[in-house]
Amino acid sequence: MTPIHAQRTAALEIPANRFREIGHRLVDRIAEFLDSLPDQKVSPGMSPETVRAALGFKKPLPLNGSDPDQLLQETFDLMVQHSLFNGHPGFWGYITSSAAPIGALADLLAASINPNLGGWALSPMATEIEAQTVRWIAEMIGYPVDCGGTLVSGGNLANMTAFWTARRAMAPWDVRSQGLGPDRPRLRAYASTETHTWIEKAADLSGMGTGAVRWIQTDEAQRIDLNALRTQVEADRRAGDFPFLVVGTAGTVSTGAIDPLPALAEICEAEHLWFHVDGAYGAFAAALPEAPEAIAGLRQADSVALDPHKWLYAPLEAGCVLVREKKALRDTFVFHPPYYPEEDQDPDAPIFYHEYGLQNSRGFRALKVWLALRQAGLNGYRQMIADDVDLARELFEAVTAHPDLEAFTQNLSITTFRYHPPGWGATSSEGSEEINALNQKILEVLQERGQVYLSQAMVDGKFCLRACVVNFRTSAAHMRALPDLVAEAGRELADRID
Ligand SMILES: *Cc1c(COP(=O)(O)O)cnc(C)c1O
């Protein structure tokens, strides 16, 4: 084979030696940035006006091009000066992890080869790496490794993919071609009131309407009430509806509560319902040798949603859905247009990922997850996850011991608490509005100061500060400093109110 060498002049081309030069400069600056994270403010605390002005938001589309080196330098400054840094050791807001540096390099490599993981022929090694990543994620949490699975953009899409799979698998008619209609029984899904809002999007966008979701009350520990669930399923069946799905959450979004998954599995088995586990946040805790039975119960689920961009510390975006029966996943999404080759039914045949989900063309998001799994290994991950949980527990204990703070919950790596000095609305509901408002203000002040970043949760109508430790850079010293930072801010604000 004689290579054809000819050079075309194109506005986007960057010759190799120039690429090397620009790339090295960028990598140097990124390394410096990562090193400087502990000294930065977590959040820039800027108004949208300031950010837009820095960008020059209303500038028109450039007619002519610019030098790529200059562009990257400028963009680096724009980003570093106007971003919230979830890689900061003091970032515990929402369930967003700090990102593994190998993920940044993986994305560079993935974008350089640019495989399209819609079809095997367009991405031979990349498709096999994704399939191995799915296998390893299943293995990590003790789920069958021969399950179906695919990487998606995040927890929402992972959960919705499972929802659509359950709908097709459980509906007693061909719901893909016939849809839903007034002459069909109403499909019903069951989930606790603590369930993440993805389920509303799923019910709405699959044409069932959000009214199809039965919100089941929770117990005092924010877990689904099993009796209420049984009663509702029974009542719906009597009314002629068709219950099809129960969702259990492994780590709820506000307090990290874990539904009693083994008991839910039992109910689903007895009642012929699809059992899905939303483990977007907590499922990876099932990798711990000491994982509680409640969470290990996800191994009995028909499907599980997980978020590698949470507890696997992958840079955004990476979600993952696992479906026990591989065929059920494919049967939900496959069509056979004449312009695509058909997948072989042999279980060892290569996977065409466009048949396993919503996307057609797909990027190589698996690479950053696969490389991180290899860099840390199962043991490395067990250590990081267990350390995050320990830090949340230490915080809970420190808050409990602090005279001016009140601890509420600690599940997995989420701790909720509030500033509540002695004497404030201690006896009656008097002061409860005030104490909520004061804690809201504390949250804002801490975010502005930028040493730490917390988010919020409502626990029994009480506004709480919430620390989610999904951060391999956080140390015990960071955690120990937090109670006094909160108490100081609280005292200053309370003095101002008085
Ligand atoms: C984060 C989260 C989601 C949503 O996941 P995204 O990755 O943000 O789409 C769903 N459920 C739970 C329990 C979560 O923690």
Side-chain angles (χ1 to χ4, degrees):
M1 187 190 83
T2 324
I4 304 167
H5 276 296
Q7 204 79 153
R8 166 177 159 187
T9 313
L12 278 178
E13 190 54 277
I14 301 179
N17 55 352
R18 186 91 178 105
F19 185 90
R20 194 173 293 121
E21 206 182 312
I22 299 171
H24 285 169
R25 232 189 317 273
L26 180 64
V27 168
D28 283 344
R29 293 197 71 182
I30 292 171
E32 268 163 43
F33 160 71
L34 292 175
D35 199 41
S36 76
L37 271 172
D39 310 320
Q40 308 270 353
K41 277 179 78 173
V42 183
S43 159
M46 288 171 185
S47 70
E49 291 73 32
T50 310
V51 178
R52 282 178 201 145
L55 175 61
F57 183 73
K58 294 215 166 139
K59 277 192 288 201
L61 170 71
L63 191 57
N64 295 310
S66 298
D67 174 62
D69 188 24
Q70 214 178 320
L71 285 175
L72 285 167
Q73 299 285 349
E74 190 189 301
T75 309
F76 189 95
D77 291 337
L78 271 181
M79 289 302 294
V80 167
Q81 290 161 14
H82 307 90
S83 290
L84 174 143
F85 301 134
N86 49 35
H88 190 289
F91 179 81
W92 313 303
Y94 313 102
I95 311 173
T96 298
S97 67
S98 59
I102 199 166
L105 298 172
D107 271 355
L108 178 62
L109 174 57
S112 305
I113 312 276
N114 198 32
N116 184 338
L117 284 88
W120 193 90
L122 300 178
S123 53
M125 181 51 83
T127 289
E128 297 302 336
I129 287 176
E130 175 157 346
Q132 188 170 59
T133 305
V134 167
R135 259 182 96 82
W136 284 353
I137 286 174
E139 188 180 338
M140 186 172 180
I141 62 166
Y143 202 67
V145 293
D146 59 353
C147 63
T150 179
L151 294 195
V152 293
S153 55
N156 259 33
L157 250 295
N159 281 305
M160 287 186 209
T161 302
F163 186 96
W164 295 317
T165 303
R167 186 183 80 129
R168 194 222 58 92
M170 301 305 286
W173 67 95
D174 179 6
V175 75
R176 290 188 79 200
S177 64
Q178 295 169 29
L180 310 163
D183 49 337
R184 301 289 188 194
R186 182 109 203 237
L187 295 175
R188 293 280 184 197
Y190 302 80
S192 91
T193 49
E194 291 291 313
T195 307
H196 189 279
T197 183
W198 66 264
I199 195 166
E200 293 182 278
K201 288 192 186 176
D204 170 17
L205 296 172
S206 56
M208 290 177 202
T210 52
V213 180
R214 292 298 201 189
W215 297 99
I216 309 298
Q217 69 198 53
T218 53
D219 63 15
E220 71 292 338
Q222 297 89 42
R223 296 168 307 197
I224 191 167
D225 180 328
L226 297 172
N227 284 329
L229 169 65
R230 283 195 202 93
T231 307
Q232 187 66 58
V233 169
E234 206 178 300
D236 288 340
R237 285 222 164 103
R238 263 202 313 274
D241 293 351
F242 189 89
F244 79 107
L245 169 71
V246 172
V247 176
T249 300
T252 59
V253 63
S254 58
T255 63
I258 301 164
D259 283 331
L261 303 182
L264 286 177
E266 220 170 278
I267 292 173
C268 289
E269 168 99 50
E271 296 285 336
H272 304 288
L273 296 165
W274 184 281
F275 177 34
H276 171 67
V277 171
D278 176 1
Y281 159 48
F284 290 109
L288 300 177
E290 69 274 19
E293 192 53 31
I295 207 159
L298 61 76
R299 292 168 193 159
Q300 291 157 268
D302 295 297
S303 54
V304 183
L306 313 91
D307 244 344
H309 68 211
K310 289 179 177 168
W311 239 342
L312 293 188
Y313 314 99
L316 297 160
E317 308 161 341
C320 176
V321 59
L322 304 178
V323 177
R324 176 175 299 274
E325 241 191 274
K326 188 176 173 195
K327 186 174 178 306
L329 178 59
R330 183 166 183 266
D331 286 350
T332 306
F333 293 99
V334 69
F335 285 106
H336 296 294
Y339 43 85
Y340 289 147
E342 210 169 298
E343 188 182 343
D344 199 332
Q345 288 308 301
D346 173 357
D348 290 328
I351 293 176
F352 288 70
Y353 272 112
H354 74 91
E355 299 184 342
Y356 287 82
L358 207 57
Q359 277 185 275
N360 191 61
S361 291
R362 301 174 70 250
F364 195 10
R365 51 167 71 93
L367 185 62
K368 60 196 172 191
V369 181
W370 186 77
L371 280 170
L373 284 168
R374 294 188 61 189
Q375 187 197 339
L378 178 56
N379 283 333
Y381 268 109
R382 281 178 167 157
Q383 187 71 52
M384 290 186 288
I385 292 171
D387 285 349
D388 284 350
V389 174
D390 283 346
L391 288 169
R393 197 175 296 128
E394 276 176 45
L395 175 63
F396 186 83
E397 284 160 12
V399 164
T400 307
H402 199 291
D404 293 345
L405 303 178
E406 181 183 5
F408 282 96
T409 63
Q410 183 261 316
N411 293 297
L412 297 173
S413 65
I414 300 181
T415 297
T416 59
F417 63 102
R418 67 176 180 174
Y419 177 69
H420 193 183
W424 264 73
T427 47
S428 65
S429 65
E430 167 259 325
S432 69
E433 289 285 319
E434 267 173 78
I435 197 90
N436 279 358
L438 178 58
N439 278 278
Q440 167 99 55
K441 202 78 199 130
I442 292 172
L443 181 67
E444 288 163 16
V445 163
L446 289 175
Q447 289 179 352
E448 266 162 43
R449 290 183 182 169
Q451 263 174 299
V452 297
Y453 197 99
L454 302 173
S455 50
Q456 66 194 62
M458 291 301 281
V459 179
D460 300 330
K462 291 167 187 157
F463 183 96
C464 291
L465 305 172
R466 180 178 69 151
C468 310
V469 189
V470 194
N471 192 334
F472 60 86
R473 295 195 177 100
T474 301
S475 70
H478 293 110
M479 216 78 283
R480 274 196 297 270
L482 180 58
D484 280 338
L485 288 177
V486 173
E488 268 163 41
R491 226 170 294 130
E492 286 171 33
L493 287 163
D495 284 350
R496 245 184 277 164
I497 293 168
D498 283 351

